[in-house]
Amino acid sequence: MPSSRSARMKQSPPPAQQTPRWHAATRWVRCMACRCRKDIINTAGIRTTWGSRTMANNVPDADAVAVKRLKDAGAIIIGKTMTSEFAHKLLTDAPLFGATRNPWGLDFTPGGSSGGSAVAVAAGLGPLSLATDAGASTRLPAACTATVGMKPTLGVIPHNQVPDGFNNFIHLGVMARTVRDAALMLDVVGGPHQADPHSIGVAPVGAVAGINGIVKGLRIAWRPLVGNTLLDDEVRKACEASLETFRSVGCTVDVIDEAVENAEPAWRILQQSNWAARFYARVDEVAPQLDESFVEGIRAGGGYSGQQLLQATYKRTQHFRMVQGWFAKYDLVLTPTMSRPPLSVDHKALDPITIGGKDAGDMRQSWVPYLNMFDLTGHPAISVPCGWNKEGLPIGLQIVGPWYADAKVLMAAAAFEMAQPWAGRIAPHAPAR
């Protein structure tokens, strides 16, 4: 996990943020001041490499909006955390720094692309980390490392680094050991900003205030499959045991087994087109320095037609309308975070995977169909630990809500944590043990 210069900046918050919610959250942030930042999020004066040899000497002039808000709240940056190159894959290894290992089992990946953020939190190097999530990158590493990872509603945390603010589906995410800590961080970094059109007019989440709400009576849908056909038996068992936890606190839980179209094909076109728009013109020049799976994605993106790209945006809209329709009957949706436990640390991004001993094919389609769906639709989603398999590897449960129901998602996660706590179990390879 790469690190860089520590920095502390205690500046006056902008007047628009001087609210009781902001002041309460910032007091907590100052008490838990050490923060990590994924190495694709801009930090003024601190090297931000994107895990790439092509960006090895990149030092941004300005902080990302979310970073500045954390600094204004008194946060200390203790390091930049490892990411796959340009955050392009579900694993955390990159040409510039090598591989990041899972503290629950050193032979396994922590997931990606925010694996360094997840490991830093799981290993006790810092209580919180700022991550990103375009297709899984906050929630998958959280599930792989028994931490909390939340992707809020699109725009709740403004993202001023994306080149396309309007068609964007790249979220900023928060990672922590507990739901309350994640809520505290969200209250500080959330809120409108002129650089992100999805954030304009968005009301404060009130995350910390919301986590103490009453969950009794919530209507919950359990969807074990979301466009996939295979689910590991131990993952299913742990997640379905969690359903009883929700029932025990007064929620109703229905099992929904209807077929859902996998979101990955549309996601693939949109994301690879994004990579191609940024890198295709010089891919031959830089390919020798890049991860081969990233190069393949760039080249694929350069081959799509304008019609294919627009058809993928149409499909994204269809996915949104379908998911939003689920909440006409239910308050929340539960899914596994991933269909199988963490992969081997040396697994290659382009290689197929197995689930329960069966060939499952493409990694994104079969391992995380539960995640890229909600990146495309923009719905708030959080991954929380719900158990461990026989090898001692973590299993994650995902809680999803309608747009702007971030506080309700956190409330349900906090109730689950209270009934089935996890923070006292420390990873065996954490240096903080």
Side-chain angles (χ1 to χ4, degrees):
M1 184 177 64
S3 62
S4 58
R5 295 187 301 274
S6 295
R8 181 169 186 167
M9 297 179 64
K10 298 184 69 172
Q11 305 167 359
S12 298
Q17 287 187 313
Q18 292 181 344
T19 64
R21 171 191 67 84
W22 191 91
H23 284 299
T26 55
R27 283 196 294 271
W28 278 96
V29 168
R30 287 188 178 113
C31 290
M32 300 175 55
C34 294
R35 297 290 180 277
C36 301
R37 305 285 183 274
K38 186 176 181 179
D39 197 25
I40 68 170
I41 301 172
N42 284 348
T43 44
I46 299 175
R47 192 166 66 125
T48 302
T49 72
W50 298 67
S52 179
R53 289 187 285 249
T54 66
M55 299 283 283
N57 298 313
N58 174 55
V59 179
D61 294 327
D63 290 319
V65 170
V67 172
K68 185 177 187 304
R69 289 177 177 179
L70 285 165
K71 285 183 175 181
D72 288 345
I76 300 169
I77 299 177
I78 62 171
K80 304 300 289 286
T81 58
M82 180 72 176
T83 175
S84 58
E85 187 169 40
F86 290 98
H88 81 281
K89 62 184 179 181
L90 300 175
L91 310 166
T92 301
D93 60 85
L96 191 58
F97 295 112
T100 299
R101 295 175 181 270
N102 193 322
W104 293 94
L106 298 181
D107 292 332
F108 298 92
T109 180
S113 61
S114 305
S117 290
V119 169
V121 172
L125 304 182
L128 301 176
S129 193
L130 186 64
T132 64
D133 198 317
S137 294
T138 295
R139 292 158 293 153
L140 174 62
C144 289
T145 60
T147 55
V148 175
M150 184 172 186
K151 178 200 76 65
T153 304
L154 183 64
V156 162
I157 304 176
H159 198 351
N160 66 315
Q161 287 184 231
V162 291
D164 182 356
F166 290 96
N167 295 308
N168 176 49
F169 55 88
I170 303 171
H171 303 62
L172 290 178
V174 296
M175 306 193 76
R177 286 282 294 156
T178 69
V179 175
R180 176 173 287 274
D181 289 350
L184 288 165
M185 188 176 182
L186 182 58
D187 271 344
V188 171
V189 297
H193 189 275
Q194 62 184 12
D196 186 344
H198 291 290
S199 77
I200 295 172
V202 173
V205 171
V208 174
I211 62 176
N212 296 318
I214 299 173
V215 297
K216 184 178 181 180
L218 287 181
R219 303 161 300 164
I220 296 176
W222 160 243
R223 289 180 172 270
L225 301 174
V226 180
N228 53 316
T229 59
L230 295 176
L231 178 60
D232 178 82
D233 288 342
E234 289 185 275
V235 172
R236 181 186 288 272
K237 182 178 179 180
C239 290
E240 292 187 346
S242 301
L243 307 186
E244 296 308 313
T245 301
F246 279 100
R247 292 185 177 115
S248 74
V249 296
C251 303
T252 60
V253 183
D254 293 339
V255 178
I256 308 296
D257 58 5
E258 67 182 359
V260 173
E261 184 179 359
N262 196 300
E264 194 278 338
W267 181 93
R268 181 182 296 257
I269 292 173
L270 292 169
Q271 184 65 300
Q272 290 180 338
S273 295
N274 175 43
W275 297 336
R278 300 171 71 178
F279 301 106
Y280 187 74
R282 59 190 188 101
V283 66
D284 291 336
E285 172 191 344
V286 298
Q289 301 180 67
L290 300 178
D291 189 313
E292 64 177 352
S293 57
F294 188 44
V295 172
E296 180 166 310
I298 295 168
R299 294 192 191 281
Y304 298 127
S305 68
Q307 289 184 2
Q308 286 175 299
L309 180 58
L310 196 54
Q311 286 166 356
T313 64
Y314 293 167
K315 182 60 70 174
R316 181 185 179 188
T317 299
Q318 292 172 21
H319 288 314
F320 165 79
R321 290 171 177 164
M322 175 193 68
V323 171
Q324 191 68 8
W326 296 348
F327 299 108
K329 183 176 180 181
Y330 296 100
D331 298 298
L332 298 169
V333 171
L334 302 181
T335 77
T337 306
M338 53 188 180
S339 62
R340 56 152 292 158
L343 296 165
S344 168
V345 72
D346 57 5
H347 196 98
K348 301 301 182 185
L350 300 177
D351 290 347
I353 68 169
T354 61
I355 298 174
K358 298 179 181 179
D359 292 336
D362 180 79
M363 184 187 299
R364 282 196 183 272
Q365 286 196 21
S366 56
W367 194 20
V368 294
Y370 312 101
L371 305 185
N372 50 45
M373 172 69 78
F374 304 115
D375 282 297
L376 292 188
T377 68
H379 289 82
I382 191 169
S383 178
V384 294
C386 70
W388 284 259
N389 72 353
K390 293 176 182 177
E391 293 182 82
L393 297 174
I395 296 169
L397 178 75
Q398 180 175 230
I399 306 170
V400 186
W403 268 53
Y404 304 123
D406 301 75
K408 184 180 292 184
V409 169
L410 285 160
M411 178 181 71
F416 178 74
E417 181 182 17
M418 183 174 293
Q420 192 173 311
W422 56 76
R425 184 166 174 173
I426 307 301
H429 301 286
R433 280 182 68 89

